[in-house]
Amino acid sequence: MCPVIPRRYEYRRDLPHLQSGDRSIFVSMTTYKRWLLPPAARSIVLEHIRREHNQRVFLYAAVVMPDHVHALFSPLVDEPGECFGIGEIMNGMRGPAAHGINKLLRRSGPVWDRDFFDRLLRHAEFGRYMDYLCLNPVRKGLVTTEEEYPWLWVEPVY
C-alpha cells in the first residue's frame, strides 16, 4: 500500500495527471498523427508494457490497437516507500517501446503523441474500464472475440 501522500502532483503538457497512492489508473496513448503500428511493432509495445508488471506497476490488462494503447494498472511502491509516479511509469512504457519500434522499422522520429490520457478509477469503475479495454478489438471489428486478439494481455489472476 502506498503512503497517503503520493509523489508530487505531476503536470505534463496540457493534461493534468492525477495520482492518489496505489489507486488503479486507466491510461490511453495514441500514436503520433494516428500512425498505424504494424503487427511486429504492436508486439514490441505489448512486451514493454508487460515489462513494467511487478516492477513499477501491477498490470491488470493492456491492449495494443493499431493506432492507440490502453492499459489498466496500479502503481507499486519503490525503495523509499513511495508509489512510482505516473510520469515515470509511462516513460518506462513509452520510451523503450518507441526505441524498439524505430530500430525494428529502421526509422527515427516520434512514435507517440506528446501526451497521454489517464483516469484515476473509483473502485466501482474498475470492471467497466476492464471491459472497455478487453472489448476494444471486438468493437473496432478487428476480431469477433477478445481471445482472438494477439495484442491483448490480461493478468491471469483477474
Side-chain angles (χ1 to χ4, degrees):
M1 176 94 181
C2 295
V4 175
I5 302 172
R7 282 197 167 107
R8 203 174 98 232
Y9 185 96
E10 298 179 36
Y11 278 92
R12 183 163 181 244
R13 309 282 189 270
D14 297 325
L15 298 175
H17 297 286
L18 303 176
Q19 188 172 345
S20 177
D22 60 355
R23 282 186 43 201
S24 298
I25 300 171
F26 177 83
V27 297
S28 296
M29 55 187 178
T30 58
T31 57
Y32 183 67
K33 295 185 178 181
R34 291 291 191 167
W35 172 53
L36 297 179
L37 296 169
R42 286 181 238 165
S43 296
I44 288 172
V45 175
L46 188 58
E47 172 189 338
H48 285 286
I49 291 172
R50 288 186 60 196
R51 282 186 186 172
E52 291 296 312
H53 183 48
N54 290 325
Q55 299 298 315
R56 292 181 225 194
V57 300
F58 183 87
L59 183 64
Y60 299 104
V63 64
V64 182
M65 301 294 288
D67 66 350
H68 68 280
V69 175
H70 298 298
L72 180 56
F73 58 81
S74 292
L76 294 177
V77 178
D78 66 5
E79 286 300 315
E82 296 181 335
C83 283
F84 286 100
I86 187 75
E88 63 193 312
I89 291 167
M90 294 307 293
N91 286 341
M93 291 178 183
R94 291 162 49 110
H99 178 75
I101 290 167
N102 282 338
K103 184 176 177 182
L104 170 78
L105 301 177
R106 297 183 180 150
R107 66 180 292 274
S108 61
V111 171
W112 305 111
D113 272 349
R114 289 172 38 167
D115 215 344
F116 56 90
F117 168 83
D118 59 287
R119 175 156 173 86
L120 194 59
L121 300 184
R122 294 179 177 92
H123 180 71
E125 296 177 312
F126 185 89
R128 183 169 52 111
Y129 278 84
M130 178 64 89
D131 289 345
Y132 177 85
L133 183 153
C134 292
L135 292 172
N136 204 242
V138 176
R139 275 192 318 277
K140 297 292 182 180
L142 301 175
V143 291
T144 55
T145 66
E146 61 189 74
E147 294 81 14
E148 297 172 47
Y149 196 68
W151 302 284
L152 170 65
W153 182 83
V154 178
E155 168 60 25
V157 298
Y158 172 70

